[in-house]
Amino acid sequence: MIEPIEHAADILSKAQSVVALTGAGISVESGIPPFRGKGGLWEKIDPMKVAHIDAFLENPETVWKVLIKEMKHVLDKARPNPGHTGLADLERLGILKTVITQNVDGLHQMAGNSDVIEFHGNFAWQRCLDCNRSIETSRVDLGQMPPRCGCGGILRPDCIFFGEMIPHQALIRSQQVSADCDVMLVIGTSAVVQPAATMPFIAKDNGAVIIEINPEATPLTPHISTLPLLGAAGSIMPRLMKAIRRRLASA
Ligand code: OAD
């Protein structure tokens, strides 16, 4: 029987239009904890108390102290791992078109991917609740809690909280590229948060092959994933890329 990674390399090296859907798992090997499962952020803090928009508006100081400040410390240090660089290489080879990511860490862009749909927004910018001015997160003064804009308004990250809408363009484009791809690579997502989790269904309904990379089974694994590759993105992606390069070199 053909080894699953070799099988996936066969499919990817012949594909016309590949899209990746990524989640927190792809950044775990960059030192960013996931949300769910062992060591997950939601094991330690209740998302409805600190990651819901109502919680933020009611008590921005607590949400800044418990969640946003901590996120900033972790994300400041994070760098792309072989899972991210594998996806950037896949784009450079002309195989991968677009990355849809639920992550707000900017690591796909840092790795070199050029078309990244940030489904849940990004953490690189903060926005003023009063005047709507944007300021880079790196320039925010953490000496005052909650941090404030020059106008005195409270700053919030440019990513979405629970209870908020997905940025309209991100949603529409994600649905389009999912419907148009012939292969979707689903990497490091528990696939339980909507509407991101519907993208593999849209792709599959339109005839795409779904290749899933995750050390654990997800709700997609039994019925939606055509080819589950069980393992960490940081070890599967380099092996997959090696197998793809071998095929392209001998073509
Ligand atoms: P989760 O934390 O729900 O799931 C992480 C997934 O990554 C799990 O399925 C793990 O098995 C897998 N995983 C862990 N380590 C991995 C590794 N090294 N390589 C590959 N996979 C690995 O993260 P998401 O699915 O991204 O939303 O969560 C979706 C959304 O829920 C997030 O964007 C966030 C959260 O609440 C908001 O904040 C709005």
Side-chain angles (χ1 to χ4, degrees):
M1 200 180 78
I2 180 163
E3 212 237 315
I5 289 189
E6 297 294 329
H7 188 185
D10 261 346
I11 294 168
L12 285 164
S13 53
K14 292 175 194 150
Q16 301 297 312
S17 171
V18 179
V19 167
L21 170 69
T22 67
I26 196 168
S27 295
V28 163
E29 289 153 281
S30 293
I32 305 175
F35 297 98
R36 295 172 186 79
K38 205 162 153 268
L41 195 59
W42 301 155
E43 238 179 20
K44 294 184 205 108
I45 51 180
D46 178 350
M48 289 307 129
K49 288 196 180 132
V50 290
H52 196 285
I53 184 62
D54 294 344
F56 180 76
L57 295 175
E58 269 163 39
N59 200 340
E61 184 180 343
T62 301
V63 174
W64 260 101
K65 281 184 179 162
V66 175
L67 181 67
I68 309 173
K69 198 171 151 190
E70 289 311 310
M71 268 177 83
K72 178 167 160 39
H73 288 319
V74 174
L75 298 195
D76 275 352
K77 286 184 286 190
R79 295 294 173 268
N81 69 60
H84 300 103
T85 52
L87 285 182
D89 290 345
L90 205 56
E91 179 184 317
R92 273 190 284 272
L93 290 175
I95 295 174
L96 178 69
K97 298 276 184 293
T98 303
V99 178
I100 306 168
T101 188
Q102 296 162 87
N103 303 341
V104 298
D105 54 33
L107 293 181
H108 289 302
Q109 295 92 322
M110 212 187 279
N113 282 108
S114 60
D115 188 21
V116 181
I117 303 176
E118 294 182 302
F119 204 78
H120 291 158
N122 76 75
F123 193 76
W125 292 87
Q126 304 287 324
R127 198 157 25 91
C128 174
L129 286 182
D130 286 353
C131 72
N132 214 30
R133 211 185 107 210
S134 287
I135 166 170
E136 279 169 271
T137 304
S138 58
R139 293 178 47 226
V140 167
D141 173 14
L142 295 178
Q144 59 171 346
M145 282 289 141
R148 290 179 185 272
C149 170
C151 80
I154 292 169
L155 293 173
R156 60 155 292 169
D158 217 4
C159 39
I160 63 159
F161 286 101
F162 281 106
E164 292 191 296
M165 303 281 280
I166 303 298
H168 185 66
Q169 271 308 314
L171 179 61
I172 299 296
R173 262 211 84 214
S174 297
Q175 288 167 335
Q176 271 165 0
V177 298
S178 298
D180 292 345
C181 69
D182 57 359
V183 180
M184 179 174 272
L185 258 174
V186 181
I187 309 178
T189 178
S190 57
V192 294
V193 175
Q194 299 295 351
T198 57
M199 300 307 147
F201 287 80
I202 294 175
K204 179 106 177 175
D205 279 352
N206 285 278
V209 170
I210 312 293
I211 300 172
E212 185 183 24
I213 302 177
N214 198 309
E216 288 174 25
T218 73
L220 301 176
T221 313
H223 306 299
I224 297 299
S225 295
T226 321
L227 191 51
L229 303 178
L230 212 63
S235 60
I236 299 273
M237 276 309 289
R239 290 167 60 199
L240 187 56
M241 291 311 298
K242 199 170 162 196
I244 291 172
R245 284 202 181 91
R246 214 187 316 117
R247 277 164 177 75
L248 296 181
S250 63

